[in-house]
Structures are given as structure tokens and as C-alpha cells.
């Protein structure tokens, strides 16, 4: 199985109380998000993630600010969507130029492997997410149990790569060729509208090529380096060795896994 490293990971069940059988996937996402916000302390610079799980964490931080249980929080949003949500909720915001060190980031993930490596960016915000979360002292990942995989790409869903628009089909072909042994099919992400399909555009004005893998891609660090060496590639959605804590909400309770030996 592909792995970026072999960190020491400890796991603990923080709440094994039986959960109602009618909980939806969104309910589980909210449970994980609320647990993650317990790590937020007054005075922190906090990276605000993007997506259907992270939005619950952003909302919870706002609630605690309004209740006076948190104060002097500065948020660093990872997308225009999160920026708009945080502004609407009254969370003070800044950016990495003003705050190059982030105390804590909270975000969801599309896939998580046993070593806490991630696939992110199926929502298109992978570049800004990686910039903010890579600058964080602690990165708490929040998921429901459906996001756990044996290896990255193992869900059969996309491993996204952000590319420049110029000759994007050329870059798509090079990416597909790179992982041919893993049965890779590389597809330009499109959106429907206006009577047809057009390329989906990221917050940075780039396109996304989605990699669909039939088999394990192997050594993840080698795969990462190979992708980034291709001219036309901006960034990929594999987050290797960045996550420090994983919070998983499932029908049997909430589990926390900590990854040691990676960040201070």
C-alpha cells in the first residue's frame, strides 16, 4: 500500500455512547466539526476550511464568539465560499500575508488513509487549502467514517490536480500517462450551465483535472513529486504528512487519531 511516511498514530474513542440510528451523514459531519472546535482557544489565528463538513466548524466558531466563550479569533479562509460564510457570521478575517503562521486549521477531507494522508479538493479549493493548512501548527481533519480508505484514490472518486488553462488537455494527457500502471483515467472537470458544459474554474482562475485510479498509485511522495514536476500543474489534492489530528464521527461514536513526529 502506498504511504508517504510511517508516523506514530494513536487512536482513542472520545465518545462511544450509542448514537441515534436515524443520524444522517450531515449529522455525523456536524458531530466531528463540533468536536474539532473544542481545540480552538481565544486569541488564535484559525484556518477556516471549505466544504460540507468545514462549514459546520465555521458556524460553531461564530456561535462561540457571539456567546463570549471565544474572543480575539482571527480566521484565515481557504476559499471565497468560506470567506463569504465567515463575513456573514461576523468572524474577523485576515490572510497569510498578515499572519504567516496559523495556530490551528480545521477542514474536512474527501479521503483519509491509515497514515492520515488525505485527498482534498473535490470542491475545487485545494490550492488555498494546502497553503493555509500547510502553514498551520496544528491541522485537525474532520470526517464521517465513509471517508476512510485503505489507500488514496481507493474510493474510486477523484484525486484532483489544479492546472493552468493553457493547453490543459496536453497536461491532462501527461497526468493520465504518469499513472497508467494504476489504471488512471484523467478528466477535465466541467460544469453545466448556459446550455452546455464549460471547464470548472477555481478561485485562482485555474482548471482542475480529476484522476480516477483503479489501483494504488504506490509511493505517495514519489507520485507527488512526479505530478508537480509536470509543466502546467499548479498543485495536487494529496495532503501528505500535513494532518496532525483526525476526528471521525460514525454510528458507534466519535474517534480521535493523533499523528506524532510530523509538526511542532
Amino acid at each position: 500500500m502506498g504511504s508517504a511516511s510511517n508516523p506514530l498514530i494513536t487512536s482513542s474513542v472520545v465518545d462511544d455512547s450509542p448514537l441515534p440510528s436515524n443520524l444522517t451523514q450531515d449529522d455525523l459531519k456536524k458531530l466531528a466539526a463540533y468536536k474539532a472546535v473544542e481545540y480552538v482557544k481565544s486569541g488564535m489565528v484559525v484556518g477556516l476550511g471549505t466544504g460540507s463538513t468545514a462549514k459546520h466548524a465555521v458556524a460553531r466558531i461564530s456561535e462561540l464568539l457571539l456567546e463570549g466563550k471565544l474572543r480575539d479569533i482571527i480566521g484565515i479562509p481557504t476559499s471565497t465560499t468560506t470567506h463569504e460564510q465567515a463575513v456573514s457570521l461576523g468572524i474577523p478575517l485576515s490572510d497569510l500575508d498578515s499572519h504567516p503562521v496559523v495556530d490551528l486549521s480545521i477542514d474536512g477531507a474527501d479521503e483519509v488513509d491509515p497514515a492520515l494522508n488525505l485527498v482534498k479538493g473535490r470542491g475545487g479549493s485545494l490550492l488555498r487549502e494546502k497553503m493555509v493548512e500547510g502553514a498551520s501548527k496544528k491541522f485537525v481533519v474532520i470526517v464521517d467514517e465513509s471517508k476512510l480508505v485503505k489507500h488514496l484514490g481507493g474510493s474510486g472518486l477523484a484525486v484532483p490536480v489544479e492546472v493552468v488553462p493553457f493547453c490543459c488537455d496536453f497536461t491532462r494527457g501527461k497526468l493520465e500517462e504518469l499513472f497508467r500502471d494504476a489504471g488512471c483515467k484523467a478528466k477535465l472537470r466541467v460544469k453545466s450551465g448556459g446550455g452546455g458544459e464549460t471547464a470548472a474554474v477555481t478561485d485562482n482562475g485555474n482548471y482542475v483535472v480529476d484522476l480516477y485510479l483503479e489501483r494504488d498509485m504506490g509511493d505517495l511522495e514519489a507520485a507527488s513529486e512526479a505530478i508537480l514536476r509536470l509543466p502546467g500543474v499548479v498543485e495536487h489534492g494529496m495532503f501528505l504528512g500535513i494532518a496532525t489530528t483526525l476526528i471521525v464521527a460514525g454510528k458507534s461514536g466519535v474517534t480521535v487519531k493523533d499523528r506524532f513526529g510530523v509538526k511542532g
Side-chain angles (χ1 to χ4, degrees):
M1 181 172 66
S3 178
S5 58
N6 186 26
L8 175 63
I9 296 177
T10 63
S11 178
S12 61
V13 178
V14 297
D15 185 356
D16 59 359
S17 305
L19 298 175
S21 59
N22 62 345
L23 284 181
T24 65
Q25 187 178 35
D26 193 59
D27 292 330
L28 295 175
K29 291 177 179 181
K30 184 179 288 188
L31 281 173
Y34 277 40
K35 179 63 183 176
V37 174
E38 294 178 12
Y39 288 83
V40 179
K41 307 301 180 186
S42 293
M44 278 188 168
V45 177
V46 181
L48 305 177
T50 297
S52 60
T53 306
K55 70 178 184 181
H56 293 303
V58 176
R60 181 58 175 161
I61 289 170
S62 173
E63 289 176 4
L64 294 176
L65 284 169
L66 289 172
E67 293 170 4
K69 296 177 181 178
L70 285 177
R71 56 182 176 78
D72 301 325
I73 295 295
I74 296 174
I76 310 291
T78 55
S79 67
T80 56
T81 298
T82 300
H83 183 279
E84 290 167 0
Q85 181 194 11
V87 168
S88 72
L89 295 173
I91 299 175
L93 300 178
S94 188
D95 56 33
L96 291 177
D97 288 337
S98 299
H99 295 86
V101 177
V102 180
D103 294 304
L104 168 72
S105 283
I106 300 174
D107 205 353
D110 300 307
E111 292 183 357
V112 185
D113 78 4
L116 271 59
N117 297 308
L118 318 172
V119 169
K120 291 178 51 57
R122 289 180 188 156
S125 302
L126 61 101
L127 176 58
R128 296 189 188 190
E129 289 173 336
K130 189 172 285 190
M131 289 177 69
V132 174
E133 289 148 13
S136 301
K137 296 178 183 177
K138 187 175 184 65
F139 175 27
V140 180
V141 180
I142 47 179
V143 297
D144 66 87
E145 58 191 355
S146 72
K147 303 301 174 65
L148 304 180
V149 296
K150 293 181 179 180
H151 60 84
L152 296 192
S155 68
L157 300 176
V159 177
V161 180
E162 187 162 343
V163 303
V164 297
F166 177 73
C167 294
C168 60
D169 193 57
F170 170 82
T171 307
R172 182 207 60 76
K174 288 294 186 181
L175 287 164
E176 185 170 281
E177 181 181 341
L178 196 59
F179 297 105
R180 192 171 301 281
D181 289 346
C184 178
K185 296 295 182 184
K187 300 180 180 179
L188 180 68
R189 186 178 298 181
V190 297
K191 63 177 181 179
S192 299
E197 290 185 339
T198 58
V201 180
T202 70
D203 286 344
N204 315 298
N206 296 314
Y207 293 169
V208 176
V209 172
D210 288 320
L211 308 183
Y212 297 89
L213 304 167
E214 294 180 356
R215 294 176 291 279
D216 190 341
M217 70 179 73
D219 185 297
L220 297 179
E221 292 288 0
S224 170
E225 291 174 6
I227 293 171
L228 294 175
R229 279 198 301 267
L230 290 176
V233 166
V234 178
E235 188 54 85
H236 60 71
M238 293 187 294
F239 285 49
L240 310 180
I242 296 177
T244 55
T245 298
L246 173 68
I247 299 177
V248 184
K251 297 294 185 181
S252 59
V254 177
T255 301
V256 176
K257 294 184 178 182
D258 290 305
R259 188 178 198 268
F260 296 97
V262 183
K263 287 193 173 189

